[in-house]
Amino acid sequence: MNKRSSRPGTRRRASLNRGFASVSVAEVAAARSPSGNTLPRSSRTCDKRIKLAIFASSTRLRRVAPTRETLAGRIRDAVARKGMTQQELAQRVNLDPTALSKALSGKRDFKSLELALIAEALDVRTQDLLANDPVPEVTLAARRQTGANPVMESALRQVDEILDLNRLLSDLGYESPATDIAGAVGDEPPYVQGERLANWLREKIGLPEEDLPYEIFNFAKLLESELGIDIAFIPLEPGLDGLSISCGQFKLALVNSKSSATRQRFTLAHELGHLVAGDASQLRIDENVLGGKSPGEQRANAFAAAFLMPERSLRTSVPKGYISEANVADLLTRYAVSLDALAYRLHNRDLISAETRDRIRSMSSSQISLRQGRSTDLQTRNYRRAPGNLLFRTMEAYVAGQISIRPLSTLLDVDPYLLLEELSPTTDPDMIL
């Protein structure tokens, strides 16, 4: 056995420095002298992060680099958009103006660190500069909570990280699963479109009227496995229920896990409705789950209600005549929705009167509060779940030695060293469980 490779510290360093790593380029820039040379190492941690940044860019240059002329053209375009001269760019990145001029004219290659610093100075991503193909258009739809300020900046930062990782994995040959969830929208009213699309998708996954998994995480797992989409749960500050992203064949629904379990479930179905309908790229805001807003939001709400509570199932489950609190508790347990969602769904399908709808909405007995499954519901707040299919692709790339531990640890929101220890093979019998 190679003694060097068997040392834990050596294995850790090797794994951390292999492949792509997310490192702030500003930290790298701060470590350069005015002459453009890297300053002497001040600490092992700082030195390691600089090496990782350089290796990150050089890895992508080797694997996905466009031609020298294409790369130079993209940088020239970015300089023009920024309103910056080549002389100003050279000063910003501490690069000799002649060397920069040669690189921009295609007469020399950009070094990996130069490229990272240039991307930082021009407010562009190295991934976009180095992509072989144009970056796919990203389409987004989001739903905002009533009476709260949007928290889009925090959410979109995390979405950006997910999209960057998806692009990296695709570049390395780990493609997102093919998805075929685009339904025909049609010309009917939005609520009719939503109902029809929900019925179509349920038929597609072989569950025309069967109950869906009660626990929201099993529900998400079912959708990922059957549809090829990705679903993430992230605790965010109040203001945003969820959002959906479409980038090529990569489809993502993100849900704010600080909401109640029933709201998370409805939000997930709502975002799925956006993905199925192929809603456009502008930001879509819905201030009230049940209120009528834009046609796209009405359709997504109708889709969510029909997908979670199929009409045929409801008609065989709702008792004739008076509906007691015990009946309502059973229905809430079966469909895992809120009182409001259930009441409006029953009324909209002409199964109850407006008076009964309002009576159901006001129910608050112990039978309702302590119904089966409530203990599970109460544990879903602040839960964090990485997108399942993306996580599998990331694990595949890591095991194959194509990326480092850092993209995986970022996706899981855990310390990279702790994760590396967990994933490293061990021969200690006390550690084998």
Side-chain angles (χ1 to χ4, degrees), residues 143 185 188-202 212 265-277 279 286 288-312 314 337 340-342 344-346 348-349:
R143 188 157 65 83
V185 173
E188 313 102 322
Y191 70 91
V192 176
Q193 297 174 13
E195 187 88 20
R196 179 173 49 76
L197 288 172
N199 293 337
W200 170 79
L201 191 63
R202 270 186 164 266
L212 299 169
R265 188 181 182 87
F266 198 90
T267 295
L268 175 52
H270 178 102
E271 302 307 333
L272 179 60
H274 279 308
L275 292 173
V276 171
D279 287 328
D286 175 34
N288 190 317
V289 174
L290 299 172
K293 296 298 177 182
S294 70
E297 294 302 322
Q298 292 179 29
R299 179 176 58 233
N301 283 333
F303 175 95
F307 192 76
L308 297 175
M309 299 170 280
E311 181 176 357
R312 283 181 292 180
L314 283 175
V337 295
D340 274 352
L342 176 65
Y344 275 100
R345 177 64 173 161
L346 293 175
N348 290 339
R349 305 322 293 168

Side-chain angles (χ1 to χ4, degrees), residues 32-49:
R32 289 171 60 93
S33 68
S35 63
N37 297 320
T38 303
L39 293 175
R41 177 173 62 184
S42 58
S43 70
R44 177 173 295 183
T45 301
C46 181
D47 184 60
K48 180 181 293 185
R49 291 172 70 83

Side-chain angles (χ1 to χ4, degrees), residues 324-338:
S324 67
E325 290 191 348
N327 298 141
V328 171
D330 289 340
L331 292 172
L332 293 176
T333 297
R334 180 171 182 180
Y335 299 114
V337 295
S338 67

Side-chain angles (χ1 to χ4, degrees), residues 60-259:
R60 294 188 66 83
L61 277 167
R62 289 197 307 270
R63 289 183 174 135
V64 297
T67 64
R68 178 189 291 178
E69 292 75 16
T70 299
L71 178 58
R74 290 175 180 173
I75 294 176
R76 289 195 303 269
D77 291 342
V79 170
R81 288 194 300 270
K82 188 71 173 177
M84 186 183 296
T85 67
Q86 292 187 19
Q87 181 71 28
E88 290 171 336
L89 177 60
Q91 292 177 350
R92 287 281 298 274
V93 299
N94 295 320
L95 184 61
D96 180 74
T98 302
L100 177 61
S101 177
K102 288 183 178 179
L104 289 176
S105 62
K107 296 178 180 178
R108 67 175 282 267
D109 290 322
F110 287 97
K111 296 178 181 179
S112 57
L113 184 55
E114 292 172 352
L115 188 60
L117 293 169
I118 288 171
E120 179 82 358
L122 298 176
D123 293 328
V124 297
R125 295 181 298 197
T126 54
Q127 293 97 318
D128 295 342
L129 292 176
L130 293 171
N132 265 333
D133 302 312
V135 177
E137 179 184 0
V138 176
T139 61
L140 173 134
R143 188 157 65 83
R144 184 166 72 109
Q145 295 175 359
T146 305
N149 293 323
V151 289
M152 293 299 299
E153 184 176 350
S154 174
L156 292 181
R157 272 200 308 268
Q158 298 186 66
V159 168
D160 229 15
E161 292 178 356
I162 290 174
L163 290 176
D164 285 344
L165 178 56
N166 172 64
R167 292 187 189 108
L168 171 66
L169 295 172
S170 298
D171 289 342
L172 295 174
Y174 300 92
E175 296 286 349
S176 179
T179 56
D180 182 21
I181 61 170
V185 173
D187 298 324
E188 313 102 322
Y191 70 91
V192 176
Q193 297 174 13
E195 187 88 20
R196 179 173 49 76
L197 288 172
N199 293 337
W200 170 79
L201 191 63
R202 270 186 164 266
E203 292 283 351
K204 184 178 179 64
I205 63 178
L207 298 172
E209 56 185 285
E210 288 79 1
D211 294 345
L212 299 169
Y214 182 90
E215 294 189 7
I216 193 167
F217 312 119
N218 291 334
F219 179 37
K221 186 176 180 180
L222 170 71
L223 296 179
E224 287 182 333
S225 63
E226 292 292 332
L227 303 177
I229 65 174
D230 275 278
I231 298 169
F233 291 84
I234 299 176
L236 299 168
E237 292 305 312
L240 180 73
D241 280 335
L243 54 82
S244 53
I245 292 286
S246 180
C247 182
Q249 66 184 31
F250 179 68
K251 315 290 184 188
L252 170 71
L254 184 147
V255 178
N256 184 358
S257 63
K258 281 196 174 181
S259 301

